[in-house]
Amino acid sequence: MLKKTLFIMFLSLTSITLLAQQIKTISGVVTDATTGEALIGVAIIEPGTSNGTASDLDGNYTLDVKGDRISFSYVGYKSETLAVQNTSTLNVKLVSNSELDEVIVVGYTSQKKREVLGALTNVKSKELTQLPVSNTTEALQGRVAGVQVTNASGAPGAGATIRIRGVGSINSSNDPLYIIDGIPASNGLNSVIPTDIENISVLKDASASAIYGSRANNGVVLITTKKGKQGKAKVSYNGQFGAQIHGSLTEMANTSQYINIYNAAAKNDGRELLEGKWMKDFANVDHMKEIFQTGLMTIHDVSVSGGKDKFNYLASGSYYNQEGIIKNSKFEKFTGSTNLNYQATKWLKIGLSANAGKSTTDIVPSSGDGYGNDEGGSVVRYAYMRNPAIPVYDQNGKFVDKPSEYFGHAMYDTFFGEGYNPLGVAEMADRKRDETTVLSKINVEVKLPYNSIWNTNFGIDYKKSELNAYNQTWGTNDRINNPSSRSFASNEDLGWTLNSVLSSSHTFNDSHRLTAMVGTEAIRYNGTNKNAGSSINGDTQYSADWASSLLSFFGKVDYNYNYKYYLSALIRQDGSSRFAEGNRWGTFYALSAGWDVNEEEFFKPLTPVVNLLKLRAGWGAVGNQDVALYAYTDKYMPYANYPIGGGDPSLGYVQTQLGNTDLKWETSNQLNLGLDMAFLNGEYGFSADYYHKVTKDLLLQAPLPPSIGNAAPYWVNSGEVLNEGVDLEVYMRKQYKNAGFSIALNWGYLKNKMLKLDAPIQGGRVDTGIYAKLIEEGYSLGSYYLYEMDGIFQNESEIVRSAYQGANVQPGDVKYKDLNGDGVIDEKDRKHMGSSIPTQTLGLNLQGNLNNWDISVFFQGAFGNEIYRQIGHETDGFYRGFNVSKDYYDNYWRGEGTSNTHPRASWNAKSNNVMVSSRFLEDASYLRLKNVQIGYTFPTKGKLISNLRVFGSATNLFTFTKYNGLDPEMTVSANSSGEGDRGNGIDWGTYPVAKTFTLGVNMTF
């Protein structure tokens, strides 16, 4: 009996020991990986068993397990299964699935972020509202890899251009397609204010944008506006008050320095010296500083939103007022919007939205020399050239014009030049542009059986622009604007869009997900252009009407297996009235695939470190129809004068355009390869894309000889352009209990190259009949074509030993390289040098928060491009009696060995020294501290104010660049309006960007 008892006790102890060895007690805390907050009710289960528990109010848990793994799952978070072999404490940070499951608008429909296969970047409202800007386009600058945003000028109300993955067209537009809540917006991002935007999706490749077919050649920008949410009414106010000042100004020679260099030139050229009887008590004016001022600005945004039962609403209003940093320039804008949604039944939802804006711009001439535009020469350009010896005002307070009038002798026009008074040009400018825009939409969404939705949008896009100008006579002997005149120009456009889309989504066996979409779209635009004027010679009036239409059919299929393998295919057919019958229809398509490697079983051991590894690939073709209206047909104009038989001229018709009925679509074939990765619970990650885009059958105007007549050249399909590059977006983010920070970097590399072209095309005018750029095979569309400066001739011996440049070349003149070795400097010695298109773009956003304080620092830059400083022809070219830069004065050639960079002072040598050459080509790379903002959020316990934040902000604070002009970004001249992108990169003296300092408040009631 005793033996039996001892044996039972032994077995019991052994079983208890074995059981103790098999059962492990695991405890820990479950928190949010981003915020660090405890997660309540997380399901914690031993896989393959019913053994489990849930986390408590503090995120704590305890679980006895027999196996070696525990799984954690929570709604809205990514599930984790972790090993527990050698630990008794396991703290877990769950990654929110909200980012992967975030719904993004991708074209006529929406997708979860994890399902997106194309190159797409989503920009949130918070990023867009950091800058105090008048247009949303500028707020997008530096936010998206592979996207370049450039301001036309720093003038109030000036527009900005967006280039997505390079430039593919020569004469046709390179602007992307803008879609606001499903409706095309001809006014682009200026149709809506930043505070009304929920987010912006930039579609960069064919697999993302081909659903828009013929209009997607240059990428697509999709804007989703804010909508009301269920709950009590919420009132929000955002206000900013600030001041703007100019940045660094080019230092010019003072009066004493100018007289010294003038006399040096006079001795070189055998002219009368400025001395003796000609000397007076001259002024010493910095005309550049005279035109600038401190400009005040204010922004007020108010919105009311809410919802109850089946109805939600949002209404907003905005007021923007900005004084320019150049006197007499100003911009004022009022905007109002509404967004209403009504769930009429379980299957019917109706939405109505409207956005209207009214703006007034007081314009001063801001770029160019007046050639090819109706503004006249830039005020900045005149400030560069105006002689410091000439005062701004005379004794009676009137603007001084010609120096001969003020100093009492015609010789002073030779001494100091007869250029315009820059402040007078600014103050006497009386030009106002009034713009009215309306963008409205009605939406009907019907839920059908079998998980299908029928969505229909009808939208109106209206814009009216009126320019009133009064050109008052002023100046010496009324020489400027003589006779006085008035002019009026009006452009009124009305477009409507109707699109209807049927989509259906199904899941089979919990693993196979299939979504299909078919749709149609009709778009029509009508416009009227009017021009009128009055002067002493009588009244004039012109009017023209136009219309264009587009009809489209499209379809798309998306498939994924268990969110692991993805396939997508789409096709679209467009018919455009811009082409003749037989060529009106174009077919566009895209195929793409994706693989979430992190969902594979073999990858599971790595998921605690590598949370996401996704491969993407896409191929497709998109198009461009942006050609001049009625380009396929000849155009004629009445009321032309024909001299017949030597008598009075007879009225008749004259041909104004040559047509081409064979004109067809411009098409881009695009390849995109992408990689997305996230690490350590999503705290680190990056997205990289390689793209290869070839645009063929370019829509361009054929270069024709003058003998063809005055008719505009016909449009043809000719040439191929390559845009190839890499887009990279990298982030790091950490969040602690009372603090956190994030770093977001985007970088883009671009190679642009002309692959095929029937004949070279000039661009970038720098003087009458002289161009600084040339587009031809093997080079970038922005390539400069110049003589190469080879220093300064130091003596006669060098001139004799060098290639022949001309009979009057002397020591101290610019020497050019004889590139073809024929002993003569001529057109054959020009070469391609640099490009106006950046090879790299950069955006860096740093954010941090500590308790109630927050800070953001944003850098933006472009690299690898050059600017041709045309204004240097005057400031460094010794032109007439105009002023020169301090740099030229300090470094011009005074004798052998004194300078090898700046030539001698001489009017006679200008034709040689100011040839279109590398002398005026400068590195335009820059890095700009775009914005710094510091804010404080007050603890609000009261019922009246639910949120109160105040902040201070500084914009365009510092610019790091080697460029000697006012601004390396301002290179789009009014002169180049007829040249398109091939005219970019020429600095005529442009209105620079302002430094802005603001104080603001965000309030919610």
Side-chain angles (χ1 to χ4, degrees):
M1 186 67 180
L2 179 60
K3 291 182 178 180
K4 185 176 181 180
T5 302
L6 291 173
F7 178 73
I8 293 174
M9 291 177 64
F10 173 78
L11 289 177
S12 299
L13 288 172
T14 303
S15 300
I16 292 173
T17 302
L18 291 172
L19 184 62
Q21 291 175 344
Q22 293 176 353
I23 297 176
K24 301 176 183 178
T25 300
I26 307 298
S27 62
V29 61
V30 186
T31 57
D32 184 295
T34 301
T35 66
E37 294 179 354
L39 297 180
I40 307 169
V42 176
I44 305 162
I45 299 175
E46 184 177 1
T49 72
S50 59
N51 179 36
T53 185
S55 58
D56 62 18
L57 293 175
D58 297 316
N60 296 314
Y61 75 93
T62 300
L63 181 65
D64 295 328
V65 297
K66 297 180 181 179
D68 58 357
R69 300 174 73 84
I70 303 178
S71 67
F72 300 80
S73 60
Y74 193 57
V75 176
Y77 287 77
K78 190 173 182 179
S79 298
E80 293 279 3
T81 300
L82 303 176
V84 294
Q85 287 119 333
N86 301 314
T87 183
S88 61
T89 301
L90 185 63
N91 296 324
V92 181
K93 297 180 179 180
L94 293 184
V95 178
S96 173
N97 251 341
S98 59
E99 187 168 334
L100 292 175
D101 291 333
E102 177 187 357
V103 176
I104 299 175
V105 176
V106 293
Y108 301 104
T109 184
S110 57
Q111 283 183 311
K112 291 181 179 180
K113 187 175 181 179
R114 64 168 63 190
E115 297 174 310
V116 175
L117 303 179
L120 180 152
T121 298
N122 193 253
V123 183
K124 303 295 185 183
S125 175
K126 183 178 179 181
E127 297 177 77
L128 297 171
T129 54
Q130 286 183 345
L131 301 178
V133 295
S134 60
N135 65 79
T136 308
T137 306
E138 186 180 350
L140 202 60
Q141 189 175 45
R143 302 292 181 182
V144 183
V147 175
Q148 182 190 9
V149 180
T150 306
N151 288 284
S153 85
T161 60
I162 293 181
R163 296 293 176 260
I164 299 176
R165 290 184 166 180
V167 175
S169 297
I170 297 175
N171 293 125
S172 187
S173 172
N174 287 292
D175 292 334
L177 170 67
Y178 298 95
I179 304 290
I180 300 179
D181 289 334
I183 303 300
S186 59
N187 201 34
L189 288 173
N190 294 330
S191 298
V192 59
I193 61 174
T195 51
D196 277 349
I197 295 176
E198 185 70 32
N199 58 66
I200 294 178
S201 295
V202 181
L203 314 184
K204 296 186 285 186
D205 76 321
S207 59
S209 64
I211 194 65
Y212 290 102
S214 65
R215 298 166 295 156
N217 197 42
N218 303 311
V220 182
V221 179
L222 302 177
I223 302 97
T224 302
T225 61
K226 294 177 180 178
K227 297 174 176 60
K229 298 179 180 179
Q230 291 293 310
K232 65 178 182 179
K234 181 175 69 174
V235 180
S236 296
Y237 168 75
N238 300 294
Q240 294 190 56
F241 307 85
Q244 298 183 309
I245 60 174
H246 65 75
S248 177
L249 301 179
T250 303
E251 188 176 4
M252 305 299 292
N254 60 33
T255 300
S256 175
Q257 292 164 342
Y258 172 80
I259 292 174
N260 288 339
I261 197 172
Y262 177 91
N263 286 333
K267 290 177 182 178
N268 288 333
D269 294 348
R271 299 190 181 193
E272 185 167 3
L273 300 181
L274 177 52
E275 61 181 11
K277 66 176 182 177
W278 301 115
M279 295 297 291
K280 294 191 176 185
D281 185 16
F282 298 122
N284 185 25
V285 180
D286 187 334
H287 290 281
M288 187 68 75
K289 290 184 178 180
E290 288 291 331
I291 64 174
F292 286 100
Q293 66 177 1
T294 298
L296 302 180
M297 67 176 301
T298 181
I299 305 173
H300 302 281
D301 299 319
V302 180
S303 66
V304 181
S305 63
K308 187 177 181 181
D309 298 329
K310 301 178 179 181
F311 178 74
N312 62 60
Y313 62 90
L314 185 147
S316 68
S318 175
Y319 174 70
Y320 183 98
N321 187 297
Q322 176 189 3
E323 293 178 345
I325 55 175
I326 290 182
K327 296 173 181 177
N328 203 30
S329 59
K330 184 180 179 182
F331 179 74
E332 185 178 41
K333 184 176 182 179
F334 298 87
T335 305
S337 65
T338 59
N339 202 318
L340 311 175
N341 291 278
Y342 178 58
Q343 188 74 52
T345 66
K346 291 183 178 180
W347 54 269
L348 176 62
K349 185 177 180 180
I350 301 173
L352 176 65
S353 64
N355 183 294
K358 176 74 174 178
S359 67
T360 299
T361 309
D362 292 347
I363 303 171
V364 300
S366 61
S367 65
D369 66 346
Y371 177 88
N373 71 77
D374 58 1
E375 282 189 11
S378 164
V379 172
V380 175
R381 181 177 181 81
Y382 290 134
Y384 268 119
M385 297 188 295
R386 187 68 166 176
N387 201 287
I390 311 171
V392 177
Y393 302 99
D394 63 16
Q395 297 86 343
N396 299 317
K398 292 183 178 181
F399 290 114
V400 174
D401 183 25
K402 281 189 173 184
S404 57
E405 175 194 28
Y406 184 79
F407 294 112
H409 196 285
M411 192 62 190
Y412 287 99
D413 287 347
T414 301
F415 290 147
F416 300 137
E418 74 281 17
Y420 292 168
N421 184 326
L423 185 58
V425 171
E427 294 286 5
M428 298 300 290
D430 189 358
R431 299 171 59 83
K432 289 185 182 292
R433 181 174 60 241
D434 294 309
E435 287 189 343
T436 302
T437 60
V438 177
L439 188 70
S440 63
K441 182 193 78 167
I442 184 170
N443 167 258
V444 178
E445 182 183 290
V446 179
K447 289 187 177 180
L448 301 173
Y450 306 106
N451 202 28
S452 300
I453 297 176
W454 179 24
N455 198 306
T456 301
N457 292 304
F458 178 75
I460 296 292
D461 180 19
Y462 172 81
K463 178 181 178 181
K464 184 176 183 179
S465 177
E466 294 181 329
L467 178 63
N468 285 276
Y470 175 52
N471 303 307
Q472 180 183 347
T473 299
W474 66 286
T476 303
N477 297 322
D478 292 335
R479 70 166 179 140
I480 304 174
N481 297 331
N482 192 355
S484 296
S485 63
R486 286 188 178 276
S487 62
F488 170 80
S490 173
N491 298 294
E492 188 171 15
D493 306 338
L494 175 62
W496 59 261
T497 299
L498 175 64
N499 57 57
S500 190
V501 178
L502 177 64
S503 60
S504 185
S505 180
H506 300 277
T507 301
F508 305 96
N509 298 328
D510 295 327
S511 298
H512 303 276
R513 294 171 175 82
L514 184 68
T515 301
M517 175 185 73
V518 293
T520 183
E521 184 170 52
I523 300 173
R524 182 172 177 82
Y525 273 93
N526 300 277
T528 300
N529 303 328
K530 296 179 181 179
N531 291 275
S534 62
S535 67
I536 194 172
N537 298 318
D539 297 338
T540 58
Q541 185 170 341
Y542 301 94
S543 178
D545 297 326
W546 59 271
S548 67
S549 301
L550 185 74
L551 179 63
S552 309
F553 304 93
F554 51 87
K556 183 182 181 185
V557 177
D558 295 308
Y559 167 80
N560 83 70
Y561 172 71
N562 210 25
Y563 290 111
K564 185 187 299 184
Y565 309 114
Y566 301 83
L567 292 172
S568 179
L570 66 88
I571 189 169
R572 177 170 177 135
Q573 192 167 47
D574 288 322
S576 173
S577 65
R578 292 177 181 254
F579 303 102
E581 291 186 17
N583 288 326
R584 285 185 172 170
W585 289 92
T587 302
F588 310 97
Y589 60 88
L591 300 170
S592 53
W595 179 25
D596 268 350
V597 183
N598 53 283
E599 293 294 334
E600 298 285 0
E601 285 299 323
F602 68 79
F603 200 84
K604 291 300 182 183
L606 297 176
T607 53
V609 177
V610 183
N611 313 127
L612 173 67
L613 173 57
K614 184 171 186 175
L615 303 176
R616 297 176 283 107
W619 167 261
V622 292
N624 180 21
Q625 61 156 351
D626 190 22
V627 68
L629 292 166
Y630 315 109
Y632 59 85
T633 187
D634 295 339
K635 291 181 183 179
Y636 296 86
M637 184 181 75
Y639 309 116
N641 292 322
Y642 286 91
I644 299 177
D648 294 334
S650 300
L651 294 179
Y653 283 81
V654 64
Q655 188 169 7
T656 58
Q657 176 185 286
L658 301 174
N660 178 11
T661 56
D662 294 328
L663 203 62
K664 62 181 181 180
W665 298 92
E666 179 178 292
T667 305
S668 289
N669 295 310
Q670 303 181 19
L671 169 69
N672 191 88
L673 302 175
L675 169 65
D676 304 317
M677 295 191 72
F679 306 89
L680 300 177
N681 297 320
E683 291 181 345
Y684 305 86
F686 73 87
S687 178
D689 285 87
Y690 163 78
Y691 60 90
H692 185 276
K693 173 182 174 182
V694 176
T695 305
K696 63 181 183 178
D697 295 326
L698 301 185
L699 293 169
L700 56 86
Q701 286 183 286
L704 298 177
S707 58
I708 204 72
N710 293 323
Y714 51 79
W715 287 76
V716 296
N717 294 102
S718 174
E720 291 186 8
V721 177
L722 168 69
N723 284 284
E724 182 181 30
V726 175
D727 294 342
L728 178 65
E729 297 179 355
V730 182
Y731 68 84
M732 172 185 177
R733 53 198 180 202
K734 287 274 191 179
Q735 188 65 42
Y736 307 98
K737 184 176 181 181
N738 296 317
F741 70 91
S742 67
I743 302 172
L745 168 73
N746 70 77
W747 171 81
Y749 168 77
L750 170 69
K751 174 185 176 182
N752 177 270
K753 184 178 181 180
M754 194 81 214
L755 299 179
K756 294 181 181 179
L757 190 64
D758 290 340
I761 299 176
Q762 292 181 323
R765 172 191 170 273
V766 296
D767 207 338
T768 304
I770 301 176
Y771 296 84
K773 303 173 80 173
L774 186 70
I775 301 175
E776 62 179 342
E777 291 183 9
Y779 299 96
S780 166
L781 267 68
S783 181
Y784 297 99
Y785 190 65
L786 311 169
Y787 294 98
E788 185 173 3
M789 181 179 174
D790 193 25
I792 303 294
F793 285 118
Q794 299 297 323
N795 49 54
E796 289 286 352
S797 178
E798 280 193 19
I799 297 175
V800 172
R801 296 195 309 268
S802 300
Y804 179 75
Q805 290 185 193
N808 298 318
V809 173
Q810 299 180 21
D813 289 340
V814 176
K815 178 170 64 173
Y816 301 100
K817 286 188 177 181
D818 181 17
L819 297 179
N820 66 348
D822 64 357
V824 178
I825 301 298
D826 56 21
E827 282 285 325
K828 298 177 183 177
D829 294 301
R830 293 174 70 170
K831 63 180 287 190
H832 289 273
M833 306 174 67
S835 172
S836 60
I837 302 174
T839 57
Q840 300 179 66
T841 55
L842 174 74
L844 175 62
N845 197 12
L846 310 174
Q847 293 185 324
N849 64 280
L850 176 63
N851 295 322
N852 291 6
W853 290 93
D854 63 84
I855 183 172
S856 65
V857 181
F858 178 47
F859 291 90
Q860 174 266 330
F863 310 92
N865 58 311
E866 285 78 27
I867 290 176
Y868 188 87
R869 196 166 57 88
Q870 194 284 337
I871 188 62
H873 284 205
E874 279 67 59
T875 62
D876 298 347
F878 215 75
Y879 177 49
R880 293 156 70 179
F882 297 154
N883 199 15
V884 298
S885 67
K886 180 68 161 47
D887 176 63
Y888 178 67
Y889 175 82
D890 289 340
N891 297 289
Y892 79 93
W893 190 87
R894 294 167 169 85
E896 186 168 351
T898 57
S899 176
N900 203 37
T901 58
H902 291 59
R904 65 191 177 104
S906 169
W907 297 279
N908 296 342
K910 179 176 171 61
S911 60
N912 178 81
N913 295 340
V914 188
M915 291 173 65
V916 56
S917 73
S918 59
R919 179 187 171 198
F920 303 105
L921 191 67
E922 296 188 19
D923 184 359
S925 299
Y926 73 92
L927 178 65
R928 175 167 284 162
L929 180 51
K930 191 69 179 177
N931 182 256
V932 176
Q933 188 175 115
I934 300 175
Y936 180 81
T937 301
F938 290 90
T940 53
K941 298 181 180 180
K943 296 182 178 180
L944 178 61
I945 299 178
S946 59
N947 179 70
L948 175 60
R949 176 178 177 266
V950 296
F951 62 91
S953 177
T955 305
N956 300 319
L957 198 56
F958 299 108
T959 301
F960 307 95
T961 182
K962 295 180 180 179
Y963 183 60
N964 287 318
L966 296 187
D967 195 328
E969 183 186 337
M970 305 292 130
T971 62
V972 180
S973 166
N975 287 14
S976 65
S977 57
E979 294 187 83
D981 283 65
R982 61 196 172 104
N984 293 351
I986 312 296
D987 186 358
W988 290 83
T990 302
Y991 198 129
V993 70
K995 292 184 178 182
T996 305
F997 302 89
T998 60
L999 295 176
V1001 59
N1002 307 133
M1003 301 175 65
T1004 303
F1005 300 90

